[in-house]
Each structure stands twice: as structure tokens, then as C-alpha cells.
Amino acid sequence: MHRIRLAARSARSVALCLPKPGARYALAPALPWQLSRAGQVVARGTADRVVLPLHDLAPATAYRFEAEGFAPFDFETPACAGLVDIRDHDARADLPDTPESAAANAAAISRAISAVPQNGTLLIPEGHYVAFPVALRGQMTVQLAAGAALAAPRSRAGWPTLPARDATGRMLGSWEGLPETCFAAPLHAVGAEALTIAGPGVLDGGGDRGDWWSWPKETRDGARRPRGLHLIDCTDVTLLGFTIRNAPSWTIHPQGCARLTAAALTIEAPHDSPNTDGFNPEMCEDVEILGTAFSVGDDCIAIKAGKRGPDGAAGHLRPTARIGVRHCLMARGHGGVVIGSEMSGGVRDVTVEACEMRGTDRGLRIKTRRGRGGAVERIAMRNVSMDGVGTAFSANGHYFCDPDGHAPWVQDRRPAPVTETTPHVGEITVDDVDIHGLAHALGAFLGLAEAPFGPIRLHDVRVHSHAPDTMPEPPLMAADVAPLRHAGLLAENARVEAPGHPVTEGGLTRPSPAIATETP
């Protein structure tokens, strides 16, 4: 029989992984299950996805979970040192969406957080609570009950900010990999240890109600847009079972975190909402993203490692390492799993497996450019299905981000001097991938002449069909890239090994006038 494993747990919620052979995100047919306590059945249902959340459990209690085709699985919930209901500190549901209501509820929730004992729980009960941003602390759980919604207000008036750095020089606020003052996220934490956010409720960032999406790249009132959930230098974090939607910018942004698990989340934003990436671990180590469903306005998962400053500043950079993405669904987004373009601290040891990607512009995408520095290495994708994807695999060393992204020194295809600001892309391995409805290209790899990419190894990649009504489009965001339709593998300055799929050397870029090779 197959074996169940515990993906994540809190005192009142768990996520169980039911890795049925051949299943990626969904389980078809759904599997009947039951949950018992002290020999008595307390819940029954059907599991239609591999990572199953269970809520409304009792703390410090032993349970047995049984599902068809799996060995019985015994687990115990952790103890809870005490439960504090935000209503007991004067938080009120269903108030008008005004700055006054948001300020009153934020103050009430902050009082409730202060009252939570170490290893206790803050309860957000059923109801719609509008509140300004709240800072969380460690050694506690935030439990979002069924029917609960913690929502940011419509107005920015009175919205708090995070400075670029604290008194010790540590980066707090950030924007696209650099220290910069930003508006605080509706829920945020700095330096928290053993923090859990769990339950079936909703975090609503309010991006659809405020003006955030109308100024995506600007600064207003001296600050950049907030994230939906911003975790800075936190350790041993668990995110379990909740829905988070309508973030003003990136939805979940762990920054400088270690040992973080996100299981059975739902991450949503309108498809046309700007830069609403789903989950962006930046300068983080040991992160697991399991059984999470994405439908967002930008990349579903974007793995980052900070960015060098325009003057070469790199003191804020740290590496990103050991990121696992498993049993996830990317239903819409610019990219399924993306690395970069902010990768100056280096990204290594990323594994993507048993995932489904539907309607994303790209599947696995790596993007960087001269001036970044850093290295991307040991990236693996296996056992993944793609349906309706534009370009399945891409790596781009001439990504035209930032105000100078179109400058000749960034886009020139001739060799430039190799310095500490030269990015490197090393080993990428792809194995066992099914692709239906491919639109533009199977793979497009544009490395740097002075630092070619690779080795990039593709094995057992099966293209079953192409999207019939596709119009040609460039598969990469770089200057002079030719539009493609139903293409195979194309590479320039990249070593690509793909048995069964011929690789076209060159052919990605169109002839263009000679451009200067000057560097800044």
C-alpha cells in the first residue's frame, strides 16, 4: 500500500500528502477518506488533490487518517498554550471600509497578539475584518477560521511603512531586490521564529479596492507598494491551508527566511493585475511549497536572491538555496516556476516535481542580465505536465529589465569582459515532462557570449500537441528576438543536450545594427 506523509501541521490544522503514483496536483478519481480519534470517526470526505488540508482539529490530540489505497496514518497535533479571540480585544466584523474602522481593528488585533501566550493561538473567527497592516511575532499561530476574512482597507491614508533598513543596517523594506521603503504588508513579521498561519480562512490584500494596481512601478508617499504577506528574516515558518488574494504587489514574499513550509494554499489575483506574483522566496534557504494552487497576474513562483545596486552595492545580498516545489497547480501566470531576474546572491538546488501547469506563458523560466552577477545552478524539473503553455523552457541572459535594460551594453550579443557582475547559469536538468497545446517554442536558451549557459539537459520530454491558433511571438524578453510559432529547441551561447529533440544553434535573434559594447 502507498504511504501518507505529514506535509505540515499546527494545533488545529494539518496538511497530509497522499502521493498516489502518477498523481501530480490532482487526484482522479477522488479518494474517500475518514478521520478517527480514540477509535471514533470524527470526519469523512473525499480527497481530490494530493496535498489535503484538514481543519478544526483539537490540539494535543492523536488521530488516525485512512484513505483508500493507503496504509493508515497516525499523527498527533501539537499542544496550544492558549487561544485568544480578536473579538475579546474589541475587533469587530463587517464594519464600513473606512480608515477609522481599519485603524480600530488593527489596534485591537495588535492588543490580541500581545495577549497570546508563547506557543498560543490568535483566532480570527468567522466574519469580515477590515484592518490596517499588523505585525506578527514568533512562537504563535494565527488561525483563520472558516468564513473568516482579514482584509486590507480601500484607502492608503494612515497606512504604515517599512523603512529600507533598521537601525543595525538590516534590509527591511525592499523593492525588486534592493533596500527601499515600502508600505507594510497587511500581515508582516520581522525576525519571527516558529510562526504559523493556518486555517481555511482568507487574507485579502485589497489590491482590487485600492489604487495600488494603477502605479505598479512608481513610488507614492515615499514608498513602494506592499506585499500581501511579507516575512523578513523569519525562521521555522508554516503557512497552511488558507487563501490569499488581491495582493497590492507580490502576494507572499519570504525575504531572508529559513525553514519555511507552505502547504495547501490558494493564491489568487486577477490575470491583468500588475506584478502580483504568487510566491517569491528571496535570499531564503530550505523552503518547501507543497500542494498550492496559483492563478495570478504575473509569475506563479519567482525564486530570487536580491539585486546588485546600480553602483554595484552587494552588502545586502544572501544566497537562495534548497527550494522544493511539489504537487502544485499553476493555473495561470506569466511563468510557472521562474528564477530571477533578481538573482545576484545566487540561486542553487531548486527542485520542481509532480506539478501541473496550465495556461502559463512559460513553464520553467530563468532570467538574468549583465550587471547582476551571481550564479544559478543545479536546477531540476521532473514529472511535470504542461497544457496551453507558450514556451515550455527558457533561459535568458539578456533580459531587458530595469531602466537600462535596453542599453547596448546589456543587449550586445558579442563577448563582454567577465567580472563579478557577470551572471552565470549552470546545470539545468529536465526529465519526464508531458506537454499539450504548446504555442511558441519547446525551449529558447539565450546565454551570454562571455559566459555561455549550461549544461542544460532535457530527457524524456514529450510534446503531444500544439495550440492550433497560435500567432508567432518572441519566446524571450530580449532585444531582436525572432517571433516563433510551434518551434522546437533553439539556443545561442548555451550548451543544450536533448536526445530526440534537435537543437537549432542560433536562429533566436534577428539581424540588427551593430551596437556598442561599452559597459557602465
Side-chain angles (χ1 to χ4, degrees), residues 241-440:
F242 59 87
T243 293
I244 181 168
R245 64 191 182 204
N246 296 328
S249 62
W250 296 350
T251 304
I252 298 179
H253 182 201
Q255 174 185 312
C257 296
R259 299 186 300 278
L260 183 149
T261 297
L265 304 182
T266 300
I267 300 177
E268 301 173 336
H271 300 160
D272 59 352
S273 54
N275 304 112
T276 52
D277 298 28
F279 197 107
N280 289 12
E282 181 170 31
M283 298 184 289
C284 292
E285 298 189 354
D286 300 303
V287 175
E288 287 284 337
I289 307 170
L290 304 164
T292 291
F294 298 85
S295 180
V296 293
D298 208 311
D299 296 325
C300 295
I301 296 173
I303 299 166
K304 300 177 179 290
K307 180 171 67 177
R308 289 177 182 269
D311 58 354
H316 61 289
L317 299 176
R318 285 177 280 174
T320 292
R322 298 178 300 281
I323 309 295
V325 181
R326 296 178 173 88
H327 300 296
C328 290
L329 169 65
M330 295 78 172
R332 183 71 182 94
H334 290 183
V337 176
V338 176
I339 299 171
S341 66
E342 302 93 291
M343 41 64 70
S344 298
V347 177
R348 68 178 187 274
D349 299 311
V350 175
T351 300
V352 182
E353 62 182 340
C355 291
E356 302 176 22
M357 300 180 183
R358 306 174 191 163
T360 59
D361 296 343
R362 293 165 183 85
L364 177 64
R365 181 187 190 190
I366 297 167
K367 50 187 182 180
T368 186
R369 47 154 286 186
R370 293 179 178 126
R372 286 286 194 259
V376 174
E377 52 193 351
R378 298 192 297 276
I379 312 301
M381 171 182 277
R382 52 182 175 261
N383 185 22
V384 169
S385 66
M386 301 183 187
D387 194 343
V389 170
T391 296
F393 314 108
S394 67
N396 181 6
H398 296 272
Y399 184 61
F400 50 52
C401 56
D402 291 344
D404 63 346
H406 291 271
W409 72 274
V410 177
Q411 295 299 326
D412 197 336
R413 305 302 197 260
R414 293 172 294 184
V418 175
T419 71
E420 64 178 2
T421 69
T422 302
H424 296 269
V425 175
E427 183 181 8
I428 303 167
T429 304
V430 176
D431 184 52
D432 187 17
V433 176
D434 287 293
I435 302 170
H436 296 263
L438 183 66
H440 302 123

Side-chain angles (χ1 to χ4, degrees), residues 5 7 100 127 195 293 329-330 363 374 382 421 430 454 471 477 508:
R5 73 178 182 91
E100 293 76 17
L195 170 65
L329 169 65
M330 295 78 172
R382 52 182 175 261
T421 69
V430 176
M471 297 297 293
M477 294 177 66
L508 265 176

Side-chain angles (χ1 to χ4, degrees), residues 389-393 435 437-445 458 461-467 470-476 481-491 500-504 506-508:
V389 170
T391 296
F393 314 108
I435 302 170
L438 183 66
H440 302 123
L442 176 59
F445 308 102
L458 281 69
V461 174
R462 302 171 291 274
V463 180
H464 298 278
S465 63
H466 290 85
T470 296
M471 297 297 293
E473 289 187 16
L476 301 172
V481 173
L484 298 176
R485 177 182 184 272
H486 299 171
L489 296 175
L490 296 94
H501 292 280
V503 180
T504 302
L508 265 176

